[in-house]
Each structure stands twice: as C-alpha cells, then as structure tokens.
Amino acid sequence: MLRQMCKGKLHRVRVTQADLNYVGSITLDPVLMRAARIRPYEMVQITNVENGVLWSTYAIPGDPGSGTVCLNGPPARHFQPGDRVIVLSLAWVDEAEWPTFTASVVLVDDDNRITSIMTSQPALDWEDDLGE
C-alpha cells in the first residue's frame, strides 16, 4: 500500500511576487527548496493562509538567498505579495519505507530567512495498531 505523506513543508512563507504573465509555477529561493526537500519541477501544494485558496503547481528555483516566493501565471490572481502561504511537498511512501521516512518543516522570519528546521521520523512515535 502507498500512502501520500508530507515530506517537506515551508510554513507561512511570505509571497514576494505574483506574476500573471509568466508561464505557470511557483518560483522559490533554492535555499528554501533544499531545506524542504523540494526539487526543481516537483509538484507542490500551496495554501494561502489569507484566503484559503489551495493551488497545485510545480516549483522552479529563483536566486539563491533571495527569499523569493513568486506565484506565476493563473495563481497570481489568488496569491498577492505579503500573503502568508504554506508550501507542501508530498511523497508516496510504501510500507517498507515508513520506518525510515522523515519529514521536514521549515520555519522562516518575515523575510523568508530560515529560523529553524524541524525534522521528524513519524514512525518512531507511532504504534501501528491499525490492524494492517
């Protein structure tokens, strides 16, 4: 069985740009991408904390160290500079991978600079009593 899990999360990063006339995607500072284990062109989910909009698109790297979080193309109508968003990177995990699966949550300041990274190995704190 495969389960869809959150493998990386950028928690409440601030949108720095919204570019309606760009060809889709979300541009992210690669420092943030690496911290949340997001690879170029990987599909991500973005939730706008301000208005509840949920969007799926692919991530592309911007300038390293810039703090860039730019929604490109159609999502630029729903995500504006200054909005706080959550970016989730998902993975399909099979039962054999579960015991060693790790997830990362990246916390940032108002300039999208990393303040801490919380890493978790959820299987260590979970007793599998689900009858599977």
Side-chain angles (χ1 to χ4, degrees):
M1 171 188 307
L2 294 174
R3 297 178 193 266
Q4 192 172 29
M5 310 290 290
C6 173
K7 72 172 174 66
K9 176 182 179 182
L10 296 173
H11 186 70
R12 297 179 63 93
V13 291
R14 188 179 299 278
V15 174
T16 59
Q17 294 172 265
D19 187 353
L20 183 62
N21 296 313
Y22 189 84
V23 186
S25 73
I26 181 171
T27 304
L28 294 169
D29 180 332
V31 173
L32 296 173
M33 290 176 70
R34 285 184 181 93
R37 300 170 45 213
I38 299 169
R39 291 191 170 160
Y41 289 84
E42 180 176 341
M43 293 299 293
V44 293
Q45 287 184 352
I46 307 130
T47 304
N48 191 326
V49 175
E50 313 303 326
N51 61 23
V53 168
L54 173 67
W55 200 272
S56 293
T57 191
Y58 60 97
I60 59 173
D63 293 329
S66 64
T68 297
V69 176
C70 178
L71 279 294
N72 300 307
R77 297 214 182 265
H78 304 285
F79 298 82
Q80 295 300 307
D83 287 356
R84 291 287 185 176
V85 299
I86 296 169
V87 180
L88 295 178
S89 169
L90 305 172
W92 289 102
V93 177
D94 67 28
E95 295 300 318
E97 295 171 301
W98 167 247
T100 59
F101 171 76
T102 59
S104 300
V105 176
V106 179
L107 303 176
V108 299
D109 64 14
D110 287 339
D111 296 315
N112 293 337
R113 305 287 182 246
I114 296 170
T115 58
S116 65
I117 301 173
M118 299 182 302
T119 308
S120 173
Q121 194 172 352
L124 296 179
D125 297 324
W126 181 256
E127 187 175 323
D128 255 338
D129 56 357
L130 300 176
E132 297 174 24

